[in-house]
Coordinates of all heavy atoms in Angstrom, one line a residue:
V753 N -14.0 -14.4 -56.3 CA -12.7 -14.3 -55.7 C -12.7 -14.0 -54.2 O -11.7 -14.2 -53.5 CB -11.7 -13.4 -56.4 CG1 -11.5 -13.8 -57.8 CG2 -12.3 -11.9 -56.4
W754 N -13.8 -13.5 -53.7 CA -13.9 -13.0 -52.3 C -15.3 -12.9 -51.9 O -16.2 -12.4 -52.6 CB -13.2 -11.7 -52.3 CG -13.1 -10.9 -51.0 CD1 -13.3 -11.3 -49.8 CD2 -12.9 -9.5 -51.0 NE1 -13.2 -10.2 -48.9 CE2 -12.9 -9.1 -49.6 CE3 -12.6 -8.5 -51.9 CZ2 -12.7 -7.8 -49.2 CZ3 -12.3 -7.2 -51.5 CH2 -12.4 -6.9 -50.1
T755 N -15.6 -13.5 -50.7 CA -17.0 -13.4 -50.2 C -16.9 -12.9 -48.7 O -16.0 -13.4 -48.0 CB -17.7 -14.7 -50.3 OG1 -17.8 -15.1 -51.6 CG2 -19.1 -14.6 -49.7
D756 N -17.7 -12.0 -48.4 CA -17.8 -11.5 -47.0 C -19.2 -11.2 -46.6 O -19.8 -10.3 -47.3 CB -16.9 -10.3 -46.8 CG -16.6 -9.9 -45.4 OD1 -17.5 -10.2 -44.5 OD2 -15.5 -9.4 -45.1
T757 N -19.8 -11.9 -45.6 CA -21.2 -11.6 -45.3 C -21.4 -10.2 -44.7 O -22.5 -9.7 -44.7 CB -21.6 -12.7 -44.2 OG1 -20.8 -12.6 -43.1 CG2 -21.6 -14.1 -44.8
L758 N -20.3 -9.6 -44.3 CA -20.4 -8.2 -43.8 C -21.0 -7.3 -44.9 O -21.7 -6.3 -44.7 CB -19.0 -7.7 -43.4 CG -18.9 -6.2 -43.1 CD1 -19.5 -5.9 -41.7 CD2 -17.4 -5.8 -43.1
F759 N -20.6 -7.6 -46.2 CA -21.0 -6.8 -47.3 C -22.5 -6.8 -47.5 O -23.1 -6.0 -48.3 CB -20.3 -7.2 -48.6 CG -18.8 -7.0 -48.5 CD1 -18.0 -7.7 -49.4 CD2 -18.2 -6.1 -47.7 CE1 -16.6 -7.5 -49.4 CE2 -16.9 -5.9 -47.6 CZ -16.1 -6.6 -48.5
R760 N -23.3 -7.8 -46.9 CA -24.7 -7.8 -47.0 C -25.4 -6.7 -46.2 O -26.4 -6.1 -46.7 CB -25.3 -9.2 -46.5 CG -24.9 -10.3 -47.4 CD -25.4 -11.6 -46.8 NE -24.8 -12.7 -47.5 CZ -24.8 -13.9 -47.1 NH1 -25.5 -14.2 -45.9 NH2 -24.3 -14.9 -47.7
T761 N -24.9 -6.4 -45.1 CA -25.4 -5.4 -44.2 C -24.8 -4.0 -44.4 O -25.4 -3.0 -44.1 CB -25.4 -5.8 -42.7 OG1 -24.0 -6.0 -42.4 CG2 -26.3 -7.0 -42.5
M762 N -23.5 -4.0 -44.8 CA -22.8 -2.8 -45.1 C -22.3 -2.9 -46.5 O -21.2 -3.3 -46.8 CB -21.6 -2.6 -44.1 CG -22.1 -2.4 -42.7 SD -20.8 -2.2 -41.5 CE -21.7 -2.4 -40.0
P763 N -23.1 -2.5 -47.5 CA -22.9 -2.8 -48.9 C -21.7 -2.1 -49.5 O -21.3 -1.0 -49.1 CB -24.2 -2.3 -49.6 CG -24.7 -1.3 -48.7 CD -24.4 -1.7 -47.3
V764 N -21.1 -2.8 -50.5 CA -20.0 -2.2 -51.2 C -20.6 -1.2 -52.2 O -21.4 -1.5 -53.0 CB -19.2 -3.3 -52.0 CG1 -18.2 -2.7 -52.9 CG2 -18.6 -4.3 -51.0
R765 N -20.1 0.1 -52.1 CA -20.6 1.1 -52.9 C -19.6 1.5 -54.0 O -19.9 2.1 -55.0 CB -20.8 2.4 -52.1 CG -22.1 2.3 -51.3 CD -22.7 3.7 -51.2 NE -24.0 3.7 -50.6 CZ -24.5 4.7 -50.0 NH1 -23.8 5.9 -49.9 NH2 -25.7 4.7 -49.5
S766 N -18.3 1.1 -53.8 CA -17.3 1.4 -54.8 C -16.2 0.3 -54.8 O -16.0 -0.3 -53.7 CB -16.7 2.8 -54.6 OG -16.0 2.8 -53.4
L767 N -15.6 0.1 -55.9 CA -14.5 -0.9 -56.0 C -13.3 -0.2 -56.8 O -13.5 0.6 -57.6 CB -14.9 -2.1 -56.8 CG -15.8 -3.1 -56.2 CD1 -16.3 -4.1 -57.2 CD2 -15.1 -3.8 -55.1

Side-chain angles (χ1 to χ4, degrees):
V753 293
W754 176 18
T755 300
D756 193 329
T757 57
L758 172 76
F759 297 158
R760 292 180 191 164
T761 56
M762 296 181 190
V764 175
R765 284 211 172 158
S766 63
L767 285 171

